């Protein structure tokens, strides 16, 4: 349930329970306001104008040039950041890599191509255009553990990637744009076996990777570490190297090919609860003949090691949160099987393992005396990147514009860093070092998820990190608050803005204060927006993360309500116009807040959870025991499921659901929709064909965003949006 989104799609005819496909609508209930029926639409607009505050006047060129602000109600302001801009502009990043020549490659997901993921090679020289490496009939994406990640690996002039449609591994040259992609794994007649997080083993001419095998069971697939022969044209069955645990990640070989490290964990733990780091010794025939547990095996010591990596000198480094409760860098002393801290700080040097292929640190220099390690960490709501001298245990912070850092890739005398800030969307930047590798002397954006976002820079609402009191005396939680911002409009002194509170997915995840046009869509129109890191979020250490254990549906809900109250008390929001939204686990928090509390006046749930027991029965293997630790007893499952307390709902709700979602199946949205409809609560449901957990298609992202906006405006906003949006029918309202 890690993904969350505020998303959007426009069509010719819309209804309350709507199934949207890429080519047509399936209408489940009666039609409402067809776009091709101007008379009905005109009558609707007249009714809206007579019952709500009129839309803001359009600014004239003279008034804008003179910077004279127009007075108009919050929520009714015009904005150049349209839903089309949001849905079409922002690409997703699926990882980056550098080949042996130092050339940069990245994996981007394109909403305008129905979310297709394409491997791209950066320009060879200034002025050149990036080049697509992936043939048009392929898409690079793995479904391992549903969330994927680690879908490609580059070595020499070869890339091995997972193809989305059949989930097979393919080998392709990166030197030639039109090179043939050759299958490496068997054809099982469908996407029944997935691979992720692989590495090349040049000593045995093979590829070592995590495999998830759903041939016998889709709900309980077998996960192993396997090897794939790169020289056998007959495509044999992969050979199992490591098995027996429920999950595996990060198979990593040392430079000599004699040792392999990996992370493993088993139910009921998630990888951030408890995991183990193992090292296996490889025999002359390529098998693992001996293995040793490096970290996580001592049950008296609670830790979750992650991201093992070998230095060129054969030392094993990794990140773990033993003793301090913060993910810090450590290294293994093989001679006595001991673990030593490399650098200790009350900060997080890693993220929770929701996806494969994370890379939070890189070796940039190594000799027999010391290692220089580029690493990033998260502290007090901001990310930092620095160079760690292993021998001196000193960390030199690099001065770069990013306030958020994700993956790091080492280039030739440089770093490629995936990051963002309040004014930079998710990007890849090239950081060039000085000779001592202690300072950044150049910073250059190489790729941007939203290149056009700079056109709207003067309109950006910048996040303010806020700390607010929770219901537990002396305890605080955190959020990013975005005030309404528009250089053309202002509201009257007497009016307070409507507030949209977002509850992130996961729930073991973190929201970050970076440029997100989906948020700017709201603030530019006169909404206040707050993105909450409730208790249970990551980025603040294990103790903060574990506030949610046994208390999901309580701590998160209380913190969201406390945050909204904090903003209302501070005069930053209108207490009568508080709305809440969230996707996946955030959708559950949304539904729980609306059913068990009276803080919010309306909500939007994107692929959210309504029935905790049903989720446990139907969700995929990776999270099938996750909620046992978050919820508790059977009584708790019942008492915290919004579906069981429909009588407590009184606020309008709009629901959005992908029909191919295996994390939160469609029955969740359908059950709560039907129950609320029968109870008489204003409710609408939109279903998307071809969408899974999190919406990838531009038209669906657009539609979701627009319908949330007009839904809230009609039911609680007391204003008319400036955009031309045809609302869907709302049951028990229209």
């Amino acid at each position: 349930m890690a993904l969350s989104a505020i998303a959007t799609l426009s069509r010719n005819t819309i209804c309350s329970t709507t199934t949207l496909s890429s080519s047509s609508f399936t209408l489940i209930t009666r039609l409402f306001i067809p776009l091709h029926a101007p008379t009905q639409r005109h009558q609707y607009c007249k009714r809206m104008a007579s019952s709500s505050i009129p839309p803001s006047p359009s600014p004239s060129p003279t008034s804008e040039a003179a910077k004279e602000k127009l007075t108009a109600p919050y929520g009714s302001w015009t904005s150049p950041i349209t839903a089309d801009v949001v849905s079409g502009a922002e690409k997703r990043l699926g990882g980056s890599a550098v080949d042996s020549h130092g050339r940069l490659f990245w994996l981007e997901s394109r909403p305008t191509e129905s979310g297709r993921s394409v491997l791209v090679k950066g320009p060879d020289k200034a002025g050149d255009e990036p080049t697509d490496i992936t043939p048009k009939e392929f898409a690079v994406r793995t479904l391992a553990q549903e969330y994927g990640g680690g879908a490609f690996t580059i070595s020499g002039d070869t890339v091995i990637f997972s193809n989305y449609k059949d989930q097979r591994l393919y080998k392709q040259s990166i030197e030639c744009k039109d090179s043939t992609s050759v299958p490496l794994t068997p054809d099982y007649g469908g996407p029944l076996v997935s691979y992720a997080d692989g590495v090349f083993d040049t000593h045995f001419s093979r590829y070592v990777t995590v495999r998830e095998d759903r041939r016998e069971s889709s709900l309980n697939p077998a996960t192993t570490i396997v090897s794939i022969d790169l020289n056998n044209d007959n495509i044999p069955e992969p050979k199992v190297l490591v098995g027996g645990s429920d999950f595996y990640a990060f198979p990593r070989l040392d430079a000599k090919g004699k040792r392999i490290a990996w992370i493993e964990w088993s139910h009921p733990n998630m990888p951030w609860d408890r995991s183990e780091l193992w090292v296996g010794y490889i025999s002359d025939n390529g098998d693992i003949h001996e293995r040793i547990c490096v970290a996580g095996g001592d049950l008296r010591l609670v830790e979750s090691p992650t991201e093992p990596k070998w230095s060129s000198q054969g030392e094993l480094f990794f990140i773990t949160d033993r003793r301090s409760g913060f993910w810090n860098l450590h290294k293994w002393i093989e001679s006595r099987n001991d673990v030593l801290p490399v650098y200790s700080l009350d900060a997080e040097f890693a993220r929770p393992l929701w996806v494969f292929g994370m890379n939070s640190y890189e070796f940039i220099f190594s000799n027999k005396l010391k290692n220089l390690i580029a690493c990033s960490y998260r502290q007090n709501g901001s990310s930092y990147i620095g160079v760690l001298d292993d021998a001196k245990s000193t960390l030199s912070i690099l001065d770069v514009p990013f306030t958020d850092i994700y993956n790091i890739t080492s280039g030739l005398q440089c770093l490629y860093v995936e990051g963002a800030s309040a004014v930079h969307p998710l990007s890849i930047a090239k950081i060039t070092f000085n000779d001592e590798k202690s300072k950044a002397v150049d910073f250059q954006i190489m790729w941007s998820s939203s290149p056009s976002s700079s056109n709207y820079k003067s309109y950006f609402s910048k996040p303010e990190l806020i700390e607010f009191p929770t219901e537990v005396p002396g305890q605080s939680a955190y959020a990013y608050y975005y005030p309404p911002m528009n250089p053309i409009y202002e509201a009257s002194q007497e009016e307070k803005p409507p507030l949209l509170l977002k509850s992130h997915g996961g729930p073991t995840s973190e929201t970050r204060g970076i440029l997100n046009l989906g948020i700017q869509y709201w603030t530019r129109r006169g909404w206040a927006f707050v993105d909450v890191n409730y208790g249970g979020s990551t980025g603040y250490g294990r103790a903060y993360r574990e506030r949610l254990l046994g208390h999901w549906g309580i701590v998160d809900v209380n913190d969201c309500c406390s945050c909204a109250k904090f903003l209302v008390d501070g005069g930053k929001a209108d207490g009568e116009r508080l709305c809440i939204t969230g996707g996946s686990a955030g959708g559950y928090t949304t539904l729980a807040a609306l059913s068990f509390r009276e803080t919010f006046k309306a909500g939007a749930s994107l692929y959210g959870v309504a029935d905790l027991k049903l989720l446990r029965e139907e969700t995929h293997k990776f999270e099938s025991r996750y909620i046992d630790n978050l919820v508790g007893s059977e009584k708790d499952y019942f008492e915290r499921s919004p579906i069981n307390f429909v009588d407590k709902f009184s606020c309008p709700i709009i629901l959005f659901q992908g029909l191919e979602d295996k994390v939160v199946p469609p029955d969740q949205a359908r059950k709560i929709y039907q129950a609320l409809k029968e109870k008489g609560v204003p409710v609408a449901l939109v279903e998307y064909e071809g969408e899974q957990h999190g919406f990838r298609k531009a038209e669906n992202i657009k539609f979701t965003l627009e319908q949330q906006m007009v839904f809230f405006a009609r039911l609680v906003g007391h204003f008319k949006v400036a955009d031309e949006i045809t609302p869907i029918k709302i049951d028990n309202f229209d």
Side-chain angles (χ1 to χ4, degrees), residues 475-487:
Q475 190 180 85
S476 296
Y478 307 92
Y480 294 98
Y481 170 74
Y482 299 77
M485 196 283 174
N486 192 310

Side-chain angles (χ1 to χ4, degrees), residues 173-220:
S173 170
I174 57 177
E175 295 296 333
C176 178
K177 177 182 178 182
D178 299 320
S179 62
T180 302
S181 297
V182 179
L184 295 174
T185 53
D187 182 357
Y188 299 112
L192 300 175
V193 178
S194 298
Y195 307 86
D197 212 8
V199 292
F200 284 82
D201 183 355
T202 57
H203 297 85
F204 291 97
S205 189
R206 62 184 181 177
Y207 188 69
V208 178
T209 182
V210 175
R211 180 182 70 177
E212 184 180 76
D213 189 345
R214 299 179 292 275
R215 284 177 288 179
E216 293 187 6
S217 172
S218 60
L219 287 178
N220 189 33

Side-chain angles (χ1 to χ4, degrees), residues 72 196 252 378 386 448 716 721 729:
R252 298 295 184 260
R378 187 111 179 119
S448 172
V716 301
V721 297
K729 175 185 175 289

Side-chain angles (χ1 to χ4, degrees), residues 444-565:
Q444 182 182 0
I445 298 293
M446 306 299 292
W447 175 87
S448 172
S449 61
S450 181
S452 64
S453 62
S454 59
N455 298 337
Y456 314 104
K457 191 171 184 178
S458 63
Y459 305 130
F460 292 159
S461 174
K462 296 182 180 179
E464 304 169 11
L465 179 63
I466 62 172
E467 181 177 357
F468 59 90
T470 69
E471 291 197 356
V472 178
Q475 190 180 85
S476 296
Y478 307 92
Y480 294 98
Y481 170 74
Y482 299 77
M485 196 283 174
N486 192 310
I488 302 170
Y489 296 103
E490 63 183 2
S492 66
Q493 293 290 329
E494 297 77 21
E495 188 185 4
K496 301 299 181 186
L499 174 74
L500 181 60
L501 182 145
K502 181 185 174 185
S503 172
H504 66 68
T508 311
S509 186
E510 178 189 7
T511 190
R512 301 191 174 198
I514 64 175
L515 179 60
N516 180 339
L517 291 184
I519 293 176
Q520 302 299 324
Y521 177 84
W522 295 88
T523 58
R524 184 66 171 77
R525 285 163 174 76
W527 281 74
F529 193 104
V530 66
D531 216 346
V532 182
N533 276 319
Y534 47 78
S537 302
T538 58
Y540 298 90
R542 179 179 281 269
Y544 193 88
R545 192 166 74 238
E546 291 186 345
R547 287 185 188 179
L548 209 58
L549 292 183
H551 294 90
W552 191 31
I554 298 175
V555 169
D556 49 326
V557 170
N558 288 345
D559 286 357
C560 287
C561 294
S562 295
C563 182
K565 182 179 184 299

Side-chain angles (χ1 to χ4, degrees), residues 252-255 307-319 329-332 342 359-367 370-376 386-391 408-416 433 437:
R252 298 295 184 260
L253 291 156
D254 71 1
E307 294 194 51
K309 189 172 296 187
W310 301 92
S311 73
S312 61
Q313 297 301 314
E315 291 181 296
L316 179 62
F317 288 73
F318 62 98
I319 296 173
L329 271 165
H330 291 69
K331 67 178 177 181
W332 179 44
V342 175
N359 202 44
S360 302
Y361 68 101
E362 276 275 32
F363 297 104
I364 56 175
F365 178 79
S366 179
N367 61 22
K370 68 177 182 179
N371 296 292
L372 289 183
I373 305 169
C375 56
S376 67
V387 176
L388 176 62
D389 186 327
D390 174 33
I408 299 173
T409 301
S410 183
L412 301 178
Q413 301 299 314
C414 68
L415 291 177
Y416 291 103
F433 293 113
K437 297 182 174 60

Side-chain angles (χ1 to χ4, degrees), residues 101 105 114 156 379 482 568 608 665 672 691:
H101 303 290
F105 294 76
S114 297
Q379 188 178 53
Y482 299 77
V568 170
I672 196 70
E691 289 284 18

Side-chain angles (χ1 to χ4, degrees), residues 151-446:
F152 75 97
T153 305
I154 292 175
S155 180
D157 65 350
T158 300
V159 60
I160 292 178
F161 67 90
S162 293
N163 182 44
Y164 173 59
K165 186 175 182 179
D166 59 11
Q167 288 296 287
R168 299 174 72 186
L169 287 180
Y170 289 80
K171 178 174 67 173
Q172 179 191 347
S173 170
I174 57 177
E175 295 296 333
C176 178
K177 177 182 178 182
D178 299 320
S179 62
T180 302
S181 297
V182 179
L184 295 174
T185 53
D187 182 357
Y188 299 112
L192 300 175
V193 178
S194 298
Y195 307 86
D197 212 8
V199 292
F200 284 82
D201 183 355
T202 57
H203 297 85
F204 291 97
S205 189
R206 62 184 181 177
Y207 188 69
V208 178
T209 182
V210 175
R211 180 182 70 177
E212 184 180 76
D213 189 345
R214 299 179 292 275
R215 284 177 288 179
E216 293 187 6
S217 172
S218 60
L219 287 178
N220 189 33
T223 304
T224 53
I225 296 176
V226 300
S227 66
I228 296 163
D229 191 342
L230 298 180
N231 292 330
N232 194 327
D233 294 334
N234 294 324
I235 312 182
E237 186 73 17
K239 180 180 181 180
V240 175
L241 296 178
V242 183
S245 288
D246 288 324
F247 305 99
Y248 293 92
F250 295 110
R252 298 295 184 260
L253 291 156
D254 71 1
K256 296 181 180 179
K258 297 295 185 181
R259 295 170 297 177
I260 180 173
W262 69 85
I263 298 294
E264 65 179 58
W265 69 100
S266 291
H267 288 317
N269 293 311
M270 297 299 284
W272 48 82
D273 294 326
R274 280 183 178 271
S275 58
E276 297 176 358
L277 168 60
W278 287 77
V279 169
Y281 295 88
I282 301 173
S283 62
D284 292 340
N285 67 356
D287 291 334
I288 296 174
H289 65 88
E290 182 184 350
R291 64 186 69 186
I292 185 171
C293 185
V294 172
D298 187 348
L299 296 180
R300 298 168 299 177
L301 189 63
V302 179
E303 64 176 324
S304 50
T306 186
E307 294 194 51
K309 189 172 296 187
W310 301 92
S311 73
S312 61
Q313 297 301 314
E315 291 181 296
L316 179 62
F317 288 73
F318 62 98
I319 296 173
T320 189
D321 58 348
R322 58 168 54 192
R323 296 189 174 90
S324 72
F326 289 91
W327 277 312
N328 285 188
L329 271 165
H330 291 69
K331 67 178 177 181
W332 179 44
I333 309 301
E334 184 177 13
S335 59
R336 58 178 189 267
N337 191 26
D338 195 11
V339 171
L340 296 180
V342 175
Y343 189 82
S344 298
L345 188 67
D346 285 352
E348 300 280 50
F349 283 73
R351 291 164 283 145
L353 203 165
W354 280 107
V355 297
F356 291 103
M358 293 186 299
N359 202 44
S360 302
Y361 68 101
E362 276 275 32
F363 297 104
I364 56 175
F365 178 79
S366 179
N367 61 22
K368 293 183 179 180
L369 299 178
K370 68 177 182 179
N371 296 292
L372 289 183
I373 305 169
C375 56
S376 67
Y377 65 88
R378 187 111 179 119
Q379 188 178 53
N380 300 326
S382 292
S383 295
Y384 303 86
I385 185 169
V387 176
L388 176 62
D389 186 327
D390 174 33
K392 299 179 181 178
S393 292
T394 57
L395 181 63
S396 301
I397 302 301
L398 302 179
D399 185 11
V400 299
F402 285 162
T403 56
D404 263 66
I405 308 292
Y406 298 93
N407 294 317
I408 299 173
T409 301
S410 183
L412 301 178
Q413 301 299 314
C414 68
L415 291 177
Y416 291 103
V417 177
E418 300 172 17
S421 74
V423 295
H424 293 93
L426 180 59
S427 307
I428 302 176
K430 180 180 180 181
I431 299 176
T432 304
F433 293 113
N434 62 355
D435 292 340
E436 292 77 25
K437 297 182 174 60
S438 60
K439 294 182 179 180
V441 296
D442 188 48
F443 179 93
Q444 182 182 0
I445 298 293
M446 306 299 292

